[in-house]
Amino acid sequence: MKVLIVGLGSIAAKHITALKIIDPKTVFYAMRSSVNADSKKGITNVFSFEDLNTLEIDFAIISNPTSVHKKTIKHLIPKNIPLFIEKPLFSTLENEVVLEEIVNNKITTYVACNLRFLDCLKFAKQYIESKRVNEVNIYCGSYLPDWRPGIDYKTTYSANKELGGGVHIDLIHEIDYAYWLFGRPQEVNKVFSNKSSLNIDAYDYANYILTYATFNANIILNYFRRDPKRTLEIVCDDETITIDILKNTVYQNQEIIFTSEKTIIDTYEDQLRFFIHEVVAKGNKFNTANEAYEILKICLQND
């Protein structure tokens, strides 16, 4: 395989590691913004999208800051290659024209939300299919300064609104898997704030209430919790199912009914295998740009 990476950061490194496991012969190209950019072993730098005209690229991974996804996608549409786009799709909702270009040019797209490949959530999706759901509570809290050791968190895109950061969109995984499990909500209410001691201009707290026909889903996200917690609670008629995402474990009324030794990092390989073998090779549609845009609307509409 020949793969183009646009945005050679920490997320890209995870994808590169996964691809090397899937196919050790993978050839990597990286789009760099400066001729002075450092070189990474086993990766060939390219410096303009015109340079791609002489290369046969199988697909591109877009993992640069969200604020420049739109520009990157517009550059890549004429290349007519599948696009693996890191979440979130865009940082704003003023991008319908780009979506139309993707559809009109029949570009294969997949927006990466790897928690759909986590074993405990896959188990939960099957388990609740025949259940009557009365209430859903989703929580994801962790401490932003711990995310990238050795880097001032205030300089990262997560902490900066103008770069497309903010917990409401940075942790779009929770909105994505709620959409995947329960479908499109009938109504969305939300509260965003940045009142914590982190002192960042991006939102560090978000609270969503998603209204469905027979239940409500409450989603709380934050950047300031020192002891990480990431859970999904589904209250059914006769039982409560609690999914501990960090432990990849499912509890029924506090008793373990499913657990997996895999970790979230393992989902990067599973996700790319699915993208290569199901989306690219077979043309299956899964979390396309259009679907991801609907999820983005939940996050951003009326923001």
Side-chain angles (χ1 to χ4, degrees):
M1 293 186 298
K2 294 183 179 180
V3 179
L4 172 70
I5 310 289
V6 185
L8 201 57
S10 59
I11 294 296
K14 294 175 182 177
H15 294 315
I16 290 169
T17 298
L19 284 168
K20 286 179 178 179
I21 295 172
I22 295 168
D23 180 2
K25 296 181 180 179
T26 301
V27 176
F28 294 99
Y29 298 91
M31 181 63 63
R32 311 310 299 269
S33 58
S34 169
V35 293
N36 296 319
D38 60 342
S39 297
K40 304 287 186 182
K41 184 178 180 181
I43 301 175
T44 301
N45 288 343
V46 293
F47 302 99
S48 76
F49 289 95
E50 286 69 30
D51 292 342
L52 301 179
N53 295 334
T54 59
L55 301 175
E56 294 182 2
I57 303 295
D58 291 301
F59 62 88
I61 293 178
I62 299 174
S63 52
N64 51 4
T66 310
S67 57
V68 291
H69 279 190
K70 174 183 176 180
K71 181 179 179 181
T72 303
I73 291 169
K74 286 180 70 69
H75 278 302
L76 288 173
I77 285 174
K79 310 305 177 187
N80 195 31
I81 57 175
L83 304 179
F84 178 105
I85 307 165
E86 256 305 323
K87 63 83 187 170
L89 176 61
F90 300 122
S91 57
T92 71
L93 290 174
E94 292 83 43
N95 293 289
E96 285 87 353
V97 173
V98 181
L99 284 177
E100 289 178 8
E101 289 183 39
I102 290 171
V103 173
N104 292 339
N105 287 277
K106 299 180 180 180
I107 303 299
T108 297
T109 58
Y110 166 74
V111 178
C113 275
N114 55 298
L115 286 191
R116 294 191 186 197
F117 295 86
L118 191 65
D119 288 343
C120 60
L121 288 175
K122 291 193 296 182
F123 174 88
K125 184 174 176 63
Q126 292 183 333
Y127 190 85
I128 64 171
E129 280 182 354
S130 60
K131 302 290 183 179
R132 183 15 167 114
V133 176
N134 291 318
E135 178 186 342
V136 172
N137 296 294
I138 294 172
Y139 187 96
C140 184
S142 59
Y143 192 52
L144 182 61
D146 290 341
W147 283 25
R148 303 171 181 91
I151 298 175
D152 181 359
Y153 71 92
K154 291 186 178 181
T155 66
T156 66
Y157 94 90
S158 296
N160 290 276
K161 194 172 185 179
E162 66 179 15
L163 296 179
V167 73
H168 64 310
I169 194 167
D170 208 3
L171 296 180
I172 198 173
H173 285 294
E174 291 6 78
I175 306 295
D176 177 80
Y177 79 65
Y179 186 101
W180 178 57
L181 290 173
F182 307 112
R184 182 183 301 175
Q186 297 175 338
E187 183 181 339
V188 178
N189 291 285
K190 64 192 77 169
V191 174
F192 300 153
S193 69
N194 54 351
K195 300 179 181 180
S196 81
S197 57
L198 291 176
N199 293 318
I200 59 176
D201 69 355
Y203 297 125
D204 57 21
Y205 173 87
N207 188 346
Y208 296 87
I209 297 180
L210 311 184
T211 300
Y212 291 88
T214 62
F215 66 93
N216 294 316
N218 182 51
I219 302 174
I220 294 177
L221 313 172
N222 73 63
Y223 275 155
F224 48 75
R225 184 178 177 121
R226 293 277 188 154
D227 55 322
K229 177 182 176 182
R230 201 168 198 178
T231 57
L232 161 64
E233 181 186 71
I234 306 171
V235 182
C236 302
D237 273 346
D238 57 351
E239 61 185 330
T240 297
I241 307 302
T242 303
I243 296 91
D244 189 324
I245 290 173
L246 298 180
K247 294 180 179 179
N248 208 355
T249 298
V250 182
Y251 302 84
Q252 177 195 54
N253 300 336
Q254 301 183 359
E255 297 290 332
I256 293 175
I257 59 172
F258 175 84
T259 190
S260 171
E261 294 298 319
K262 286 190 173 183
T263 65
I264 290 177
I265 196 67
D266 294 316
T267 63
Y268 286 87
E269 180 185 340
D270 294 340
Q271 177 180 235
L272 275 163
R273 286 187 185 277
F274 182 89
F275 173 72
I276 293 165
H277 299 305
E278 299 295 330
V279 177
V280 176
K282 297 182 182 178
N284 290 333
K285 297 184 183 300
F286 190 76
N287 207 22
T288 64
N290 281 340
E291 181 178 341
Y293 199 70
E294 291 301 312
I295 295 166
L296 195 66
K297 286 180 181 178
I298 297 174
C299 292
L300 299 179
Q301 209 154 47
N302 301 319
D303 176 14

